[in-house]
Amino acid sequence: MKPFTYFSPTTLSDATRVLADYGADARCLAGGTDLLIRMKRHQWLPRAVVNLKRIPWLRDVAINAELRIGALVTLQDLVRAPIIREHFPVLAYAASKMAGVQVRNLATVGGNLCNASPAADTAPPLIALNARAVVVGARGERVIPLDEFFTGVGKSALAPDEILCEILVPRDDAVRASFIKLEHREAMDISIASVAVSLRNQKSEIKNQKCEDVRIVLGAVAPVPMRARQAEEILRGKELTEERIRQAARVAAREAQPIDDVRGSAWYRREMVEVLTRRQLIAMGKNVA
Amino acid sequence: MPQLGQSLTRLDARAKVTGDAQYPGDINLPGQLWMKVLFARRPHARIKRLDTAQAERAPGVARVFTARDVPVNEFGLGAKDAPVLVADKVRWVGEKIALVVAETEAQAEYARDLIAVEYDDLPAIIDPRDAMKPGSAQVHPAYPGNVIKHIPIRKGDVAQGFAQSDVIVESEYHTPAQEHAYLQPEAGIAYTESAFSIDDENRVTVIVAGQWTHEDQEQIAHALGLRLDQVRVIYPAIGGAFGGREDMSVQIILALAAIKLNRPVKIIWSREESIIGHHKRHPMWLKSKWGATRDGKIIAAQVEIISDAGPYTTTSTKVLGNAAFGVVGPYEVPNVQVDAYTIATNNIVSGAFRGFGGPQAHFQAETQMNKLAEKLGMDPVEIRLKNVLREGSLLSTQTPLPGGKVSLPQIVEKCADEFGWSQKSKIENIVLSVAKDRKSKIGYGFACALKNIGFSFGYQENAWAKVELHGAAEIDQVIVYHAAAEVGQGTHTALAQMAANALGVPLEKIELRASDTATSENSGSVSASRMTYIGGNAIKGASERALKKWNDEERPAIAEYKYLAPKTTNYDPETGKATPNIAYGYVAQAVEVEVDTETGHVRVARVTCADDVGHAINPRLIEGQIEGAVIQAQGWTIQENFQSKNGNVLTPHLSTYLIPGILDVPDRVDSVILEFPDYNGPWGARGMAEMPFIPLAPAIIAAVHDATGVWFDEFPLTPWKVLEGLKKKLDADRFARG
């Protein structure tokens, strides 16, 4: 590791001031499960490391009209928090599929999102649930829809002086969501591909399985976690027939922009988008019936 | 009470469970320095310039070592053809360029990165099939044409055999590299006893994890120009080995630095350094043609093996010998032609790994057998019973098997019975009904193997032990001196049980002083499944001699014994005729797999593994070896995917090199232990630690074929490779239907 200056501010404004001073040479420290590895491997050589863990309230989970998840909430908190398990079981499930317990006890949801890996497993279900990111910078606060948060591999909409503070997830009892992560190994593995699906049906529409709104979000098959908007369009406002589901799954696969790497080849990833999308929609359709 | 056949608690259990056990990285000495290695991290290059001046001036640095600091700059197991530190030419990514020793590990690392090296990169020689062609660039001056060794075997007349065959199966197979992925990455600490001078009686001590104390001692002494007695090697607790610790890693470099600096020097490799820094299982290409009669009798086998050695010999010639022997599987075949080559390349060095050529050879043999069974419409168990070796059968080396009973027919039948092979269609119906929704198909596969015990082909197998009996009227204490490495397999417990049994005392009275070249003579390597057999015979001999002295009233009664195993002979250079081995173990496996035909995921649901171990010294330790071998072999077959590109390793971390996790292992591994005594084994025991690894890959491949109708002639069965195979079959079937 190279020498660096360590800051441990207790307020957001102190933290953003350091970030403003150091710009791209500063890195925020949350769980450290990505940061420290990259620093030790000399992939990142920050001049300043800003510990966020002394800032109060960033670890809170609360529910009201919407769910608020502090950026420093750990993945294991997501797995275990009763509020999450009761109201957003898909988030608890997605977090449970990430890493092992030791890493989940450290790694944070904010870190997972800001790291902006295409394979960040918290992103697809949060985007499917229409989540927004609250970010604070030297010039104030702004709210970014999470499906606009990711801008490239390892890149987000955060300005150098901005910190992701919390995630807002709207509460809507008509929405159900699911997530499948495809791994080569059954646990402790990075996604080869993942798909999150959310469906919104009004009670009156459940019988005929009409889908009022839908989101299909693909992970690890593009530079950013991405919505398969054309596939969504096929289903939105329509009845969920098996024929339509199959068509949407095929379209989602076409929309993916996968690459070849050590974890799998592009053609395989694309094909898995179809399988995972279809399997989930069919299962969700069955649950309704 | 007899001490054999009891699942006594292993001697090291408490220390390992409580964390008291000291592994090399846990040991610290006052005044110790830390070492970091500068690896080449490029496959083939000439060093133009190496400048260590800046590193030497860096804070905390005690010294920087380069090639010119190594007195005799060469080492290697099979041939001393590798440099300790590279002077001019880099031949693989894990080559060591320089060593930095500093007050702290961070300072050593910081200084290491200040070393300036300019390279002239050379084109890397990667595919051994090209490297052996005339005109290929040379990897190593010692191996013209890049052929390190060619082994031919000629038995009978294959042309005539094929002419008489009713069915012939021809295939080309490829087996992948494999990383040992032991829990404990390479580490060690070395120190001198006082101001060291080479002419003095002083010595350097290296505490390290290895598999053969006396080989480490010899390699260190050779490279540093020392006498053997100036080098002491001690093994503390060792976190796994599997063949991966047979070659030198940190042994020589630690001793070098300790001698020159006269301070303790310590090193711990990171996982990445471990993965790029030590050898892998040999990748092999096997071209195979087998012929059989209509009633399922194999009459000819012709196999060409090309094995990728990497740039240096290490154990490659020995692995090749084993693979050449193994390519006809555990069968009596009247006409055999084998041509086996091990080829120098700029890939990561290949070397010993559990099974030592047997897994690659048997993957080919057993898959050929399963394909023949399919072609003939025969049951895989039935065709095996028609062909397995029995007493008096002639091997491909034209000699019979030693040791008495050849239990292959019993092993195959017992495995099939315990698995429920003949009732498996009923089982399938039950499972399928559950699995239907998961787009899964169920399949069953069978394979068997034999594994040599002990070093082969003319090596005079031997092991030493010393037993001291203390007490007056009765034996109060037994001290056993022995050099066997306890790498986690439980050999110290098994050896102590054998001593207790020979002496008629309880295990608690045995004190083992092991794995120290200063107190033991050579007991050989923990490899080739040999320590229970060869080491056990030494313990037995020393115990019996000490007991005789005890009965003659000697106090203390002390006896040493060096066991010499029956002789073997090397391959005849033209015909391959040989008496290759002193003993064998026999194994059969049946497996059930589930294949998700949409995602290509293969899950191993159930494995039955039947092993003839001769005499089960400690049944629980044997079950541990069987389950561990099955999981490790499953990793090689399905999850693990060692990837390199142009000689550079693409999977240098456990996050990209995926070993099976607890959710990936089979739901059930049923260990079936059979005991047909070997005439020369201690109390009839055979070695067994490798053989459960060997049949699993072909058994899984056969089960996947049973489920899907597709033969996979190469692996690992990554989901995309499986799906690709299924698609090709679908296309072929469509085409066939028109």
Side-chain angles (χ1 to χ4, degrees):
Chain A
M1 242 191 265
K2 301 283 180 206
F4 56 86
T5 311
Y6 183 70
F7 296 90
S8 205
T10 52
T11 65
L12 264 181
S13 52
D14 285 351
T16 54
R17 203 167 308 125
V18 177
L19 293 181
D21 287 350
Y22 281 86
D25 285 336
R27 289 278 177 185
C28 290
L29 170 67
T33 56
D34 283 307
L35 178 68
L36 294 187
I37 288 172
R38 287 177 195 215
M39 287 172 66
K40 284 179 181 171
R41 287 184 191 163
H42 297 189
Q43 291 164 337
W44 286 350
L45 304 167
R47 288 199 300 123
V49 170
V50 185
N51 175 29
L52 301 180
K53 283 175 290 193
R54 292 180 63 201
I55 302 172
W57 68 264
L58 288 184
R59 276 196 75 155
D60 294 349
V61 178
I63 196 157
N64 241 313
E66 49 191 355
L67 175 72
R68 305 174 79 93
I69 307 172
L72 293 196
V73 167
T74 66
L75 299 178
Q76 193 65 3
D77 290 339
L78 281 188
V79 174
R80 303 187 66 149
I83 293 172
I84 306 274
R85 294 177 79 95
E86 189 188 335
H87 298 285
F88 296 94
V90 68
L91 295 179
Y93 173 74
S96 79
K97 293 296 289 175
M98 299 172 70
V101 178
Q102 294 94 328
V103 169
R104 286 203 298 268
N105 278 331
L106 288 171
T108 64
V109 60
N112 188 237
L113 296 171
C114 292
N115 196 38
S117 160
D121 288 327
T122 60
L126 281 170
I127 294 173
L129 292 168
N130 199 12
R132 290 161 295 144
V134 179
V135 307
V136 173
R139 288 151 300 169
E141 179 182 306
R142 63 188 178 120
V143 176
I144 309 169
L146 207 60
D147 62 354
E148 294 167 18
F149 184 77
F150 303 98
T151 55
V153 177
K155 291 187 186 126
S156 71
L158 283 181
D161 66 320
E162 282 180 322
I163 294 170
L164 172 63
C165 297
E166 59 178 357
I167 317 295
L168 306 176
V169 188
R171 194 173 164 182
D172 184 343
D173 290 339
V175 168
R176 290 166 304 122
S178 83
F179 175 70
I180 303 185
K181 169 177 181 170
L182 195 78
E183 301 159 282
H184 183 24
R185 178 164 66 188
E186 287 282 324
M188 305 265 294
D189 196 4
I190 310 283
S191 291
I192 302 172
S194 71
V195 177
V197 173
S198 69
L199 284 178
R200 186 170 200 283
N201 326 65
Q202 290 302 345
K203 271 225 165 72
S204 58
E205 292 163 343
I206 283 182
K207 277 199 195 86
N208 60 13
Q209 296 196 19
K210 194 175 164 197
C211 141
E212 184 185 313
D213 197 5
V214 61
R215 281 190 174 205
I216 299 170
V217 189
L218 317 180
V221 293
V224 295
M226 64 168 277
R227 284 175 65 182
R229 289 175 190 272
Q230 294 167 34
E232 292 173 1
E233 219 36 63
I234 292 169
L235 301 173
R236 188 168 290 122
K238 310 266 174 41
E239 196 184 327
L240 276 188
T241 63
E242 185 166 335
E243 175 61 27
R244 222 170 255 136
I245 286 172
R246 286 180 181 279
Q247 194 196 345
R250 278 194 298 272
V251 170
R254 275 209 297 276
E255 289 180 78
Q257 305 153 32
I259 57 161
D260 290 323
D261 67 14
V262 292
R263 297 186 193 281
S265 38
W267 73 264
Y268 178 75
R269 289 189 155 107
R270 187 181 296 282
E271 194 140 320
M272 289 308 100
V273 167
E274 180 179 345
V275 173
L276 302 185
T277 305
R278 169 168 48 74
R279 282 187 180 181
Q280 284 181 96
L281 283 165
I282 286 179
M284 291 169 93
K286 272 188 189 144
N287 288 344
V288 173
Chain B
M1 190 182 92
Q3 301 287 330
L4 305 184
Q6 310 281 329
S7 291
L8 302 178
T9 304
R10 42 187 304 161
L11 304 177
D12 50 359
R14 176 171 289 274
K16 284 182 175 169
V17 169
T18 57
D20 280 345
Q22 296 277 295
Y23 293 83
D26 299 326
I27 298 167
N28 294 296
L29 293 170
Q32 72 192 14
L33 296 162
W34 286 82
M35 177 187 282
K36 273 282 174 188
V37 177
L38 175 66
F39 290 99
R41 292 175 184 268
R42 61 189 63 226
H44 200 195
R46 221 169 258 295
I47 298 178
K48 258 168 64 183
R49 192 179 69 92
L50 174 58
D51 183 353
T52 59
Q54 226 190 324
E56 281 160 27
R57 286 195 299 268
V61 170
R63 186 159 168 180
V64 179
F65 295 89
T66 61
R68 62 174 177 272
D69 299 307
V70 190
V72 184
N73 192 8
E74 59 175 34
F75 76 103
L77 293 179
K80 292 199 166 63
D81 58 358
V84 178
L85 298 176
V86 174
D88 51 358
K89 200 172 176 198
V90 169
R91 296 191 181 87
W92 67 292
V93 290
E95 205 100 69
K96 300 179 189 82
I97 306 294
L99 315 169
V100 180
V101 180
E103 297 292 333
T104 70
E105 191 177 25
Q107 288 171 333
E109 187 182 331
Y110 180 78
R112 179 199 61 193
D113 295 343
L114 296 176
I115 298 174
V117 197
E118 272 179 49
Y119 296 97
D120 264 340
D121 283 313
L122 303 167
I125 298 153
I126 295 305
D127 190 326
R129 294 166 299 177
D130 295 334
M132 66 194 289
K133 283 179 189 154
S136 167
Q138 291 291 296
V139 173
H140 194 296
Y143 310 115
N146 297 322
V147 177
I148 297 177
K149 191 164 179 77
H150 167 218
I151 297 173
I153 297 176
R154 301 287 183 272
K155 177 192 180 190
D157 180 345
V158 285
Q160 203 183 333
F162 289 128
Q164 292 163 359
S165 298
D166 299 310
V167 289
I168 286 176
V169 168
E170 288 187 76
S171 317
E172 290 188 25
Y173 299 101
H174 174 56
T175 63
Q178 186 179 22
E179 153 63 24
H180 304 79
Y182 23 65
L183 281 173
Q184 176 231 319
E186 288 76 357
I189 188 163
Y191 57 94
T192 54
E193 270 150 48
S194 60
F196 187 93
S197 100
I198 280 193
D199 305 320
D200 218 336
E201 289 308 305
N202 294 324
R203 66 185 170 191
V204 60
T205 299
V206 183
I207 302 178
V208 69
Q211 293 182 231
W212 187 355
T213 46
H214 289 70
E215 177 67 26
D216 287 1
Q217 180 193 33
E218 200 279 322
Q219 295 278 347
I220 295 166
H222 178 84
L224 302 187
L226 303 175
R227 297 189 313 272
L228 281 181
D229 64 311
Q230 292 178 296
V231 178
R232 179 183 184 183
V233 173
I234 300 173
Y235 290 168
I238 298 169
F242 313 115
R245 298 194 202 276
E246 279 193 36
D247 292 355
M248 299 305 107
S249 56
V250 299
Q251 288 89 332
I252 299 170
I253 56 178
L254 281 175
L256 170 71
I259 286 171
K260 300 272 171 155
L261 295 166
N262 268 310
R263 280 174 70 181
V265 179
K266 177 171 178 170
I267 193 168
I268 302 178
W269 278 2
S270 68
R271 179 61 64 181
E272 184 188 3
E273 288 171 324
S274 175
I275 291 183
I276 69 155
H278 78 255
H279 66 263
K280 303 289 167 274
R281 185 186 294 285
H282 288 80
M284 290 192 193
W285 287 258
L286 302 109
K287 212 181 273 184
S288 179
K289 180 179 178 185
W290 286 35
T293 59
R294 200 167 292 113
D295 58 351
K297 193 82 187 127
I298 312 295
I299 49 177
Q302 182 178 0
V303 185
E304 180 197 71
I305 308 172
I306 296 171
S307 134
D308 182 349
Y312 303 115
T313 296
T314 76
T315 49
S316 288
T317 54
K318 301 295 177 192
V319 169
L320 189 75
N322 252 19
F325 174 79
V327 287
V328 290
Y331 307 112
E332 181 165 28
V333 183
N335 303 294
V336 178
Q337 180 174 328
V338 180
D339 284 289
Y341 304 88
T342 192
I343 304 297
T345 68
N346 295 119
N347 288 317
I348 203 158
V349 172
S350 298
F353 199 144
R354 197 181 211 165
F356 208 72
Q360 297 96 321
H362 277 83
F363 170 64
Q364 168 272 152
E366 290 302 278
T367 307
Q368 287 292 93
M369 206 62 179
N370 286 323
K371 287 179 180 177
L372 279 169
E374 183 196 25
K375 258 196 161 169
L376 291 162
M378 281 178 81
D379 184 88
V381 170
E382 188 194 346
I383 194 171
R384 283 179 167 78
L385 289 172
K386 281 202 171 188
N387 291 284
V388 285
L389 295 159
R390 294 162 194 259
E391 292 89 40
S393 296
L394 287 187
L395 295 162
S396 59
T397 53
Q398 304 182 48
T399 50
L401 292 93
K405 183 85 186 160
V406 178
S407 59
L408 279 160
Q410 289 78 12
I411 287 286
V412 167
E413 282 182 331
K414 184 74 177 168
C415 180
D417 281 355
E418 294 285 330
F419 184 81
W421 185 260
S422 54
Q423 293 99 43
K424 65 187 191 302
S425 57
K426 288 182 201 160
I427 304 167
E428 185 162 19
N429 290 338
I430 300 162
V431 184
L432 255 187
S433 59
V434 181
K436 236 172 199 161
D437 284 339
R438 290 148 63 192
K439 305 279 181 200
S440 289
K441 288 192 169 168
I442 305 292
Y444 300 93
F446 198 94
C448 55
L450 84 170
K451 177 67 183 70
N452 66 296
I453 289 141
F455 285 13
S456 314
F457 297 108
Y459 181 87
Q460 174 57 64
E461 259 294 11
N462 69 91
W464 174 96
K466 182 165 85 173
V467 171
E468 292 180 4
L469 307 179
H470 297 272
E474 59 178 85
I475 300 170
D476 296 329
Q477 191 196 17
V478 178
I479 303 176
V480 177
Y481 294 89
H482 200 276
E486 174 58 70
V487 296
Q489 81 282 48
T491 195
H492 283 179
T493 305
L495 294 175
Q497 276 182 256
M498 287 193 276
N501 192 69
L503 297 164
V505 301
L507 189 67
E508 298 74 54
K509 287 198 176 176
I510 309 284
E511 183 190 327
L512 201 64
R513 295 193 185 161
S515 306
D516 181 347
T517 58
T519 59
S520 286
E521 298 294 316
N522 196 344
S523 306
S525 175
V526 287
S527 56
S529 305
R530 67 183 285 286
M531 198 48 84
T532 300
Y533 191 101
I534 313 282
N537 268 321
I539 295 272
K540 182 167 182 277
S543 297
E544 286 166 357
R545 281 159 181 76
L547 196 57
K548 185 166 182 306
K549 289 184 176 175
W550 177 270
N551 291 334
D552 293 341
E553 304 296 330
E554 270 187 46
R555 298 291 183 277
I558 301 174
E560 291 184 40
Y561 179 64
K562 184 175 180 181
Y563 171 70
L564 294 175
K567 290 192 185 318
T568 59
T569 62
N570 204 351
Y571 285 119
D572 177 274
E574 271 150 38
T575 63
K577 199 171 170 195
T579 302
N581 291 299
I582 50 177
Y584 295 93
Y586 307 106
V587 57
Q589 284 175 354
V591 308
E592 175 186 324
V593 304
E594 205 181 294
V595 184
D596 184 325
T597 54
E598 283 192 331
T599 66
H601 280 78
V602 176
R603 199 178 70 84
V604 179
R606 189 159 72 94
V607 177
T608 299
C609 182
D611 303 74
D612 179 4
V613 303
H615 189 151
I617 306 297
N618 185 318
R620 191 189 295 144
L621 289 180
I622 289 173
E623 286 169 13
Q625 287 291 313
I626 293 173
E627 291 171 12
V630 162
I631 291 166
Q632 196 167 41
Q634 185 202 299
W636 186 47
T637 315
I638 302 176
Q639 280 86 16
E640 297 174 34
N641 189 12
F642 188 80
Q643 298 179 66
S644 62
K645 190 174 180 189
N646 206 24
N648 294 297
V649 178
L650 301 179
T651 51
H653 305 113
L654 293 180
S655 56
T656 45
Y657 186 78
L658 303 177
I659 57 174
I662 194 67
L663 299 177
D664 303 287
V665 306
D667 296 344
R668 263 174 67 188
V669 177
D670 295 321
S671 301
V672 182
I673 299 171
L674 284 89
E675 298 176 282
F676 295 97
D678 180 276
Y679 292 170
N680 297 312
W683 297 277
R686 303 168 187 272
M688 60 72 55
E690 294 168 284
M691 62 186 181
F693 188 103
I694 298 176
L696 194 77
I700 289 175
I701 293 288
V704 170
H705 171 264
D706 187 39
T708 64
V710 181
W711 285 114
F712 289 91
D713 290 343
E714 55 183 82
F715 57 92
L717 295 178
T718 55
W720 48 96
K721 188 167 284 180
V722 172
L723 202 65
E724 195 179 21
L726 298 182
K727 282 173 174 302
K728 273 187 191 154
K729 178 170 190 306
L730 213 60
D731 289 347
D733 290 352
R734 268 188 207 130
F735 184 75
R737 279 200 308 270

